[in-house]
Amino acid sequence: MSAPFATAGHPATPVAIPSALAILVLALLLSIQPVTTDLYLPALPALTRSLGSSVSVAQLTLSGLLLAFGCSQLVWGPLSDRFGRRPILLAGLSIYTVASIGSALAPNMSLLILWRVAQGAAMGSVVMCARAIVRDLYTPLEGARAMSKALTGLGIVACVCAPLGGLLAEWLGWRASLSALTVYAVATLTLVALRLPETLVHRNPRALQPRTLVATWLQVLRTPTFWAFSLQTTATYGGLFSFLASSSFVFIDVLGLSRTQYGGAMASVCVAYFAGTFLCRRLLARFGLKRSVAIAGGLSLAGGTLMALVAFLGWHHPVALLLPFALFMLAHGVHQPCGQSGAVGPFPQAAGVASALNGFMMMLAAFGIGAWLGLRLDGTVWPLVNGIWFWSLVLAVISWTLVQKFGDPVERA
């Protein structure tokens, strides 16, 4: 691991975190998002029926969670710049643990949605701090490499989550899938409490003052590099979320897969993402940040277009749809580490705020997608296919234009 670097006027004091531990902690923190979504997706149709709810209302257990996840980061970000990453992580993981227990015991859909919203708000602190920690410890290019390693760990976790969620739902019912989140939360909380030191060398005592907060937000939002990479990460997450929010209904209710088979299908998607994180490191070493994103944009467009072509030709079979989406997910493994590192790269003294705004944009898009899908799921594959195709087009345009023009992070005090 590279030592933390000095910023203008702020000589950094090295943070004593072994490289392996840093990557492990980052992987676990970032993985809380797929754990929270992928473990319960195979059980979503079953819990919808069990609680006597409609599909559109059940979608709020996902879209509501993600909206809370995005909005909460706007609060957690400045708090972490003021008080440090460690206390915010400990608070968020503790709240998440309580909300996980509440979700598993919820007697009706309304309470389940409320507990899932609380989970999302707590999850915001965890993922936001993980992205900010990358900026605390690494330069932007090194951060992209470190993020890709951590996201490789996320890929492993995600590969396990979907099949495990399917098996738990099949054998023990949907509440078991939600109960597994508590185990993950307690394990991660224990590791952070015992092993992770504070990574923010210079806290900002004025970070929560309204004038400072507004000035920091404006500084971030006026930076073209932030917009280029944030729109890139939003577009690639839009394609992924279109799949997450609709795939259980399409693959189980429309195409006839069992919950266990659906878990296997999700695992295959995670394998493609896992491979993409390795591809990311190869591309970065050979081509640098901007060209790597451009190449990934072409892969994204190819995957979305091939999926639309397969559906248009009438090949409505799980494998026929999964193969082109695997290409999209291969590119996703490049887009996410590059985009998340690039979005916070210009802001070494405001990484929490930049990370929060980036996360908010992604989750705002996810909420809109979830609401749209809740009204469009019609017993066909087309809502899933059209969503992914649309975002692949948007992603390619952003990767080939905005990122190429504004993708060289310039540090700002």
Side-chain angles (χ1 to χ4, degrees):
M1 182 185 78
S2 298
F5 58 93
T7 57
H10 297 283
T13 301
V15 180
I17 306 178
S19 179
L21 175 62
I23 297 301
L24 173 62
V25 171
L26 287 171
L28 288 174
L29 296 178
L30 293 167
S31 295
I32 200 169
Q33 188 174 351
V35 166
T36 308
T37 55
D38 294 7
L39 261 172
Y40 104 115
L41 280 179
L44 186 54
L47 75 84
T48 302
R49 292 189 292 269
S50 174
L51 297 179
S53 181
S54 66
V55 171
S56 60
V57 173
Q59 283 288 331
L60 290 175
T61 62
L62 184 59
S63 57
L65 173 141
L66 291 174
L67 182 62
F69 172 52
C71 291
S72 70
Q73 292 180 64
L74 299 178
V75 177
W76 293 121
L79 285 172
S80 75
D81 287 337
R82 170 63 182 87
F83 297 109
R85 317 303 182 201
R86 179 177 163 84
I88 301 305
L89 276 174
L90 293 175
L93 285 168
S94 298
I95 296 169
Y96 181 93
T97 301
V98 174
S100 298
I101 296 171
S103 296
L105 299 177
N108 55 59
M109 184 61 77
S110 296
L111 280 176
L112 177 58
I113 291 171
L114 286 176
W115 281 118
R116 292 284 288 177
V117 167
Q119 268 186 317
M123 187 171 70
S125 74
V126 179
V127 177
M128 180 283 305
C129 281
R131 292 196 296 258
I133 286 171
V134 171
R135 189 61 185 92
D136 293 340
L137 301 178
Y138 302 97
T139 63
L141 183 58
E142 291 172 335
R145 296 192 186 102
M147 183 72 81
S148 72
K149 292 179 182 178
L151 292 178
T152 297
L154 180 152
I156 295 172
V157 172
C159 286
V160 173
C161 282
L164 177 61
L167 289 172
L168 289 173
E170 199 81 51
W171 294 345
L172 302 174
W174 62 267
R175 294 186 189 275
S177 299
L178 292 176
S179 298
L181 305 182
T182 306
V183 177
Y184 188 90
V186 170
T188 305
L189 176 59
T190 301
L191 179 64
V192 169
L194 296 179
R195 299 298 304 276
L196 183 69
E198 179 56 59
T199 62
L200 182 61
V201 177
H202 302 287
R203 296 174 181 83
N204 183 356
R206 298 186 298 275
L208 298 179
Q209 295 177 4
R211 179 178 296 181
T212 300
L213 190 56
V214 170
T216 303
W217 282 354
L218 289 176
Q219 178 191 27
V220 172
L221 293 173
R222 288 171 177 167
T223 305
T225 300
F226 170 80
W227 280 104
F229 285 114
S230 291
L231 290 172
Q232 175 214 347
T233 55
T234 298
T236 190
Y237 189 76
L240 172 60
F241 187 76
S242 296
F243 182 85
L244 293 177
S246 60
S247 60
S248 59
F249 294 100
V250 170
F251 284 91
I252 295 174
D253 291 346
V254 178
L255 301 180
L257 295 185
S258 69
R259 286 187 289 271
T260 302
Q261 289 172 328
Y262 171 71
M266 288 289 290
S268 70
V269 169
C270 294
V271 169
Y273 174 70
F274 178 77
T277 62
F278 283 96
L279 175 63
C280 178
R281 294 198 288 277
R282 295 287 296 272
L283 292 176
L284 286 171
R286 184 171 182 180
F287 299 111
L289 193 62
K290 293 197 299 183
R291 290 187 64 190
S292 297
V293 170
I295 292 169
L299 294 175
S300 303
L301 181 59
T305 302
L306 286 172
M307 177 180 272
L309 179 61
V310 163
F312 179 76
L313 293 174
W315 300 343
H316 297 178
H317 186 277
V319 175
L321 295 174
L322 284 171
L323 286 176
F325 186 66
L327 190 58
F328 183 94
M329 288 303 295
L330 182 73
H332 186 70
V334 179
H335 283 300
Q336 280 292 357
C338 292
Q340 290 186 18
S341 177
V344 300
F347 312 105
Q349 299 304 309
V353 169
S355 171
L357 288 170
N358 174 244
F360 175 74
M361 288 174 60
M362 287 192 286
M363 294 312 113
L364 188 63
F367 182 79
I369 293 167
W372 180 81
L373 285 170
L375 299 174
R376 295 297 190 277
L377 288 171
D378 55 3
T380 72
V381 303
W382 285 107
L384 180 150
V385 171
N386 287 335
I388 294 169
W389 191 18
F390 169 79
W391 286 111
S392 72
L393 289 168
V394 173
L395 180 54
V397 171
I398 293 169
S399 299
W400 295 340
T401 57
L402 293 179
V403 172
Q404 300 310 303
K405 184 174 182 179
F406 302 113
D408 291 316
V410 177
E411 289 185 20
R412 296 173 185 270

